[in-house]
Amino acid sequence: KFQGIDGLKRRKTKKEYSVQFKLGAIQFMLTTGASYLETAVHFKLNNPSLIKRWTKEFHEQGVEGLNAKPKGRPSMSKKPNKQKKKEEKKITR
């Protein structure tokens, strides 16, 4: 309703927001007392739950919580192969 036809279109790529943008949205919401929906409309976001998640991470971890986090499974680390030393067997005759 607030964004018109553009609000209904599916985005082709996921947009990553900068730390400054996230911090600005949180500060706007806290200073004006706006709701998550009003803040999302003001910053032209299509999902108010983004702001809720950003606020939660900001209160729990501070500004560091707003940094982009790596996605997906971590790469496999190459562990050095430990070669077992063959114990010398005592040869008895």
Side-chain angles (χ1 to χ4, degrees):
K1 186 175 180 179
F2 295 107
Q3 297 178 1
I5 299 294
D6 292 334
L8 296 175
K9 291 181 181 176
R10 181 175 284 209
R11 293 186 182 169
K12 294 180 181 178
T13 60
K14 290 187 178 184
K15 187 172 181 181
E16 291 186 21
Y17 299 99
S18 68
V19 175
Q20 293 298 329
F21 181 81
K22 294 176 186 179
L23 198 57
I26 292 170
Q27 287 178 346
F28 172 81
M29 187 181 76
L30 295 176
T31 55
T32 61
S35 67
Y36 296 121
L37 180 61
E38 293 168 345
T39 307
V41 169
H42 183 267
F43 286 95
K44 296 180 183 174
L45 300 172
N46 60 354
N47 194 356
S49 65
L50 277 174
I51 299 170
K52 183 176 182 179
R53 186 175 55 200
W54 294 343
T55 307
K56 181 181 176 186
E57 290 173 355
F58 179 71
H59 286 303
E60 289 176 355
Q61 302 172 8
V63 178
E64 294 296 321
L66 299 178
N67 288 332
K69 295 164 188 66
K71 304 255 180 184
R73 179 178 282 185
S75 63
M76 294 193 51
S77 61
K78 294 186 178 182
K79 296 180 182 177
N81 292 334
K82 295 181 180 179
Q83 294 180 352
K84 295 181 181 178
K85 293 182 180 179
K86 295 183 179 179
E87 296 178 13
E88 293 180 23
K89 294 183 180 179
K90 293 181 180 179
I91 301 175
T92 56
R93 291 186 186 192

